[in-house]
């Protein structure tokens, strides 16, 4: 099997999102992409670039191509290269371009509101679930892998260096240290185009949805959503009086060409949840064109966008038009859902309204946690943790695929190699039996039907949603054994061994 991008990313250096396109060959394209990243501020002065070999492996180009590109940009003054210090972005003044020349309006006084912390994202089987020994439900990373030492070190540094104003009334947009760190990180890793003053810190994705749709203060429905998604989010939106309109899905993602008079659309373009496919390039462009033509907005749920295993992750949809896309992210999958920190990358026109919706300080995320996360990102510890977990989850997914091929060959994993969960496609009419068979062997998981929008008319598919990231490392083998035992028995009970699902 060819070595994948995730293996190369494990080496020394940070993740770096670059798009190589245009005339003139790979060397010219790489030089142009690096110049653009520096010129736009995505690569800040002093940022250390990956070694030649690492970047060459990431991009699928020759090592000499990267070396020549670095040398050219050093000669031009964009980069510097010193023995023992590596290649870095030159220290020069690169002011960020102002958004539109106006300062976000201060938040208006509104009634206090809960921060909207999202409970562990589970399906309806959560209530009354029989006792289980193996948890393969989606929704959390391997919490035993939380980087305790790195987090503690960042927390101590942040607390020691914190100015006095940290302990007084703060900025409802979030600490400037975290917003600056996020702007640089998202630009470098996800290709996001933004400035710190367009980022608003929140406590997670659910909190972001509440801020955007509460009382129609920022956005209003109807909201187009993907035909499969978290029922919790649909329930949250319904509680705010927002009608959701399902968009059918196929292997290329949501059918965005069916968008009509909706005021916004919510998508998971990097890795559709839960079915697992990315949004095709033509549909990415089409949904942005729709938003421009109708004066609407796209909500981009950057669901586990950093966890792709077969290739380098596709850049964020937001980069196509920062004025028509709101990117929402959090650390619930990369670190832990216990760290209640998320962010919205907003078009300039929405910043003031979101801050007004945020309101009282009780709805703000912990300032000290914000400072700790800012330090974790700036120190490179966050990059190292994500790469380490990317390697671990890739290994677990590979083990799942191999075990199914051996013991239940008529069941396949659908979607791209990415994320913290997999969907196992089942023969028609077998989903309920498969869930019960798994429960009988002490395995907790969800059926795909639990994520289906009740109003969609797309054909239903039987499947299991398996959270392979959830168990601790030492518990995963037993959980996989129990799951395969249940599916092996299920396949044996099907006429002629069942039908292969692709």
């Amino acid at each position: 099997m060819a070595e994948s991008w995730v293996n190369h990313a494990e080496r020394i250096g940070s993740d770096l999102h670059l798009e190589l396109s245009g005339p003139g060959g790979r060397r010219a394209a790489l030089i142009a992409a690096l110049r653009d990243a520096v010129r736009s501020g995505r690569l800040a002065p002093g940022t250390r670039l990956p070694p030649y070999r690492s970047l060459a492996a990431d991009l699928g180009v020759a090592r000499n191509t990267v070396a020549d590109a670095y040398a050219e940009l050093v000669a031009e003054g964009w980069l510097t290269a010193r023995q023992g210090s590596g290649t870095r972005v030159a220290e020069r003044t690169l002011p960020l371009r102002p958004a539109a020349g106006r300062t976000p309006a201060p938040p208006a006084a509104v009634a206090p509101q809960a921060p909207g912390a999202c409970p562990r994202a589970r399906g309806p089987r959560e209530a009354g679930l029989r006792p289980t020994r193996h948890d393969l439900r989606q929704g959390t990373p391997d919490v035993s892998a939380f980087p305790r030492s790195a987090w503690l070190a960042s927390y101590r540094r942040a607390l020691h260096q914190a100015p006095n104003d940290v302990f007084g009334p703060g900025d409802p947009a979030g600490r400037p240290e975290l917003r600056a760190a996020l702007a640089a990180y998202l630009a470098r890793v996800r290709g996001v185009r933004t400035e710190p003053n367009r980022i608003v810190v929140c406590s997670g994705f659910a909190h972001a949805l509440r801020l955007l749709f509460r009382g129609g203060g920022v956005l209003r429905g109807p909201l187009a959503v993907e035909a499969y998604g978290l029922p919790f989010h649909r329930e949250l939106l319904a509680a705010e009086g927002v009608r959701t309109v399902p968009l059918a899905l196929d292997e290329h993602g949501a059918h965005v060409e069916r968008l009509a008079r909706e005021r916004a659309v919510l998508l998971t373009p990097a890795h559709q949840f839960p079915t697992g496919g990315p949004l095709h390039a033509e549909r990415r462009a089409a949904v942005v064109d729709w938003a421009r033509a109708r004066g609407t907005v796209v909500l981009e749920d950057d669901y586990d966008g950093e966890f792709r295993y077969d290739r380098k992750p596709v850049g964020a949809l937001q980069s196509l038009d920062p004025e028509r896309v709101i990117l929402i992210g959090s650390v619930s999958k990369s670190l832990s859902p216990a760290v209640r920190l998320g962010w919205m990358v907003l078009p300039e026109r929405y910043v003031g309204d979101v801050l007004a919706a945020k309101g009282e300080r009780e709805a703000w995320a912990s300032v000290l946690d914000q400072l700790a996360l800012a330090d974790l990102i700036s120190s490179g510890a966050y990059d190292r943790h994500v790469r380490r977990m990317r390697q671990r989850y890739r290994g677990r997914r590979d083990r799942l695929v191999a075990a199914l091929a051996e013991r239940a060959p008529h069941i396949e994993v659908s979607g791209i190699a990415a994320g913290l969960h997999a969907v196992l496609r089942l023969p028609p009419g077998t989903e309920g039996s498969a869930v019960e068979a798994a429960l009988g062997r002490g395995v907790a998981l969800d059926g795909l039907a639990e994520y289906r929008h009740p109003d969609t008319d797309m054909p239903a598919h039987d499947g299991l949603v398996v959270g392979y990231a959830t168990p601790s490392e030492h518990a995963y083998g037993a959980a996989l054994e129990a799951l395969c035992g249940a599916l092996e028995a299920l396949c044996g009970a099907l006429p002629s061994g069942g039908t292969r699902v692709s």
Side-chain angles (χ1 to χ4, degrees):
M1 180 182 294
E3 189 177 11
S4 71
W5 168 80
V6 67
N7 294 333
H8 302 302
E10 184 68 12
R11 289 193 281 264
I12 296 174
S14 299
D15 290 345
L16 179 60
H17 175 79
L18 294 172
E19 295 287 352
L20 304 188
S21 60
R26 306 289 273 176
R27 176 181 175 276
L30 177 56
I31 290 173
L34 285 167
R35 276 202 206 103
D36 180 70
V38 175
R39 186 186 296 115
S40 66
R42 285 180 48 222
L43 285 176
T47 299
R48 182 171 181 170
L49 298 184
Y52 302 156
R53 183 171 58 183
S54 296
L55 187 58
D58 288 355
L59 299 176
V61 301
R63 182 179 175 182
N64 286 344
T65 299
V66 178
D68 289 348
Y70 280 9
E72 174 71 21
L73 293 173
V74 168
E76 292 178 3
W78 293 95
L79 306 178
T80 62
R82 294 185 179 89
Q83 187 69 29
S85 181
T87 304
R88 296 179 181 271
V89 177
E91 295 289 346
R92 63 174 71 224
T93 302
L94 286 171
L96 289 169
R97 294 186 289 272
R102 83 171 172 89
T103 303
V110 298
Q113 59 191 32
C118 177
R120 195 179 193 195
R122 299 304 191 196
R125 288 184 178 271
E126 184 73 26
L129 188 67
R130 296 204 298 265
T132 56
R133 299 185 300 278
H134 311 294
D135 190 355
L136 289 177
R137 293 168 294 176
Q138 67 77 34
T140 62
D142 178 355
V143 295
S144 69
F146 183 80
R148 300 185 189 210
S149 296
W151 180 261
L152 181 59
S154 288
Y155 208 97
R156 283 175 170 167
R157 279 195 299 268
L159 191 60
H160 178 71
Q161 299 169 6
N164 290 336
D165 70 305
V166 163
F167 303 99
D171 187 340
R175 283 298 303 181
E177 297 91 339
L178 178 56
R179 289 185 283 124
L182 285 170
Y185 175 79
L186 293 171
R188 173 170 54 81
V189 174
R190 303 291 294 122
V192 170
R193 297 159 56 198
T194 191
E195 297 123 14
N197 64 3
R198 293 191 180 204
I199 296 177
V200 173
V201 177
C202 55
S203 65
F205 185 84
H207 187 204
L209 280 186
R210 287 192 173 98
L211 290 174
L212 290 170
F213 287 97
R214 175 162 286 153
V218 183
L219 300 177
R220 291 183 291 173
L223 171 69
V225 298
E226 293 159 332
Y228 281 83
L230 274 177
F232 171 76
H233 292 159
R234 294 196 296 267
E235 293 161 6
L236 181 156
L237 291 162
E240 299 296 339
V242 178
R243 181 171 68 89
T244 56
V245 180
L247 291 174
L249 298 162
D250 63 16
E251 66 274 15
H252 299 306
H255 281 281
V256 297
E257 75 278 5
R258 300 181 186 178
L259 288 165
R261 297 184 178 276
E262 295 82 9
R263 290 193 172 103
V265 58
L266 171 60
L267 300 172
T268 51
H271 184 221
Q272 202 286 320
F273 179 85
T275 61
L279 188 63
H280 191 274
E282 291 182 1
R283 295 185 185 180
R284 288 164 64 95
V287 73
V288 170
D289 289 344
W290 169 81
R292 289 171 178 167
R294 296 198 56 83
T296 54
V297 67
V298 180
L299 306 184
E300 179 177 10
D301 180 358
D302 202 26
Y303 183 82
D304 58 29
E306 296 154 314
F307 292 103
R308 179 133 186 197
Y309 313 129
D310 58 343
R311 52 158 289 173
K312 190 175 178 66
V314 175
L317 179 67
Q318 186 267 2
S319 64
L320 295 182
D321 193 338
E323 295 303 322
R324 288 296 166 192
V325 181
I326 297 175
L327 181 135
I328 306 173
S330 78
V331 296
S332 64
K333 302 298 185 294
S334 56
L335 281 179
S336 164
V339 180
R340 299 307 309 162
L341 286 175
W343 51 85
M344 287 179 278
V345 180
L346 297 161
E348 190 272 341
R349 67 187 182 280
Y350 290 126
V351 174
D353 290 339
V354 169
L355 294 179
K358 201 172 183 187
E360 299 294 330
R361 288 194 299 273
E362 285 72 18
W364 303 357
S366 164
V367 169
L368 296 181
D369 284 352
Q370 292 182 53
L371 291 175
L373 179 58
D375 182 89
L376 197 74
I377 294 171
S378 300
S379 68
Y382 185 74
D383 269 279
R384 290 191 292 272
H385 173 72
V386 169
R387 290 199 303 274
R388 183 167 57 250
M389 299 315 296
R390 191 187 288 137
Q391 187 76 11
R392 177 176 297 186
Y393 297 149
R394 184 268 174 95
R396 292 193 185 184
R397 188 183 189 278
D398 286 351
R399 289 172 64 186
L400 173 64
V401 172
L404 289 173
E406 179 182 354
R407 299 181 56 182
H410 299 288
I411 296 175
E412 290 189 354
V413 178
S414 67
I416 58 175
L420 278 62
H421 78 281
V423 172
L424 312 188
R425 296 293 293 272
L426 300 173
T430 63
E431 181 177 307
S433 299
V435 172
E436 288 301 319
L439 284 172
R441 291 179 180 254
V443 179
L445 44 66
D446 296 323
L448 184 59
E450 295 181 359
Y451 300 91
R452 181 180 167 87
H453 196 292
D455 299 331
T456 184
D457 58 359
M458 71 173 287
H461 299 287
D462 286 54
L464 298 177
V465 182
V466 178
Y468 52 75
T470 305
S472 61
E473 192 71 5
H474 76 274
Y476 182 63
L480 185 57
E481 173 68 23
L483 173 65
C484 287
L487 295 177
E488 193 173 36
L490 176 70
C491 286
L494 292 173
S496 301
T499 303
R500 187 172 183 82
V501 179
S502 58

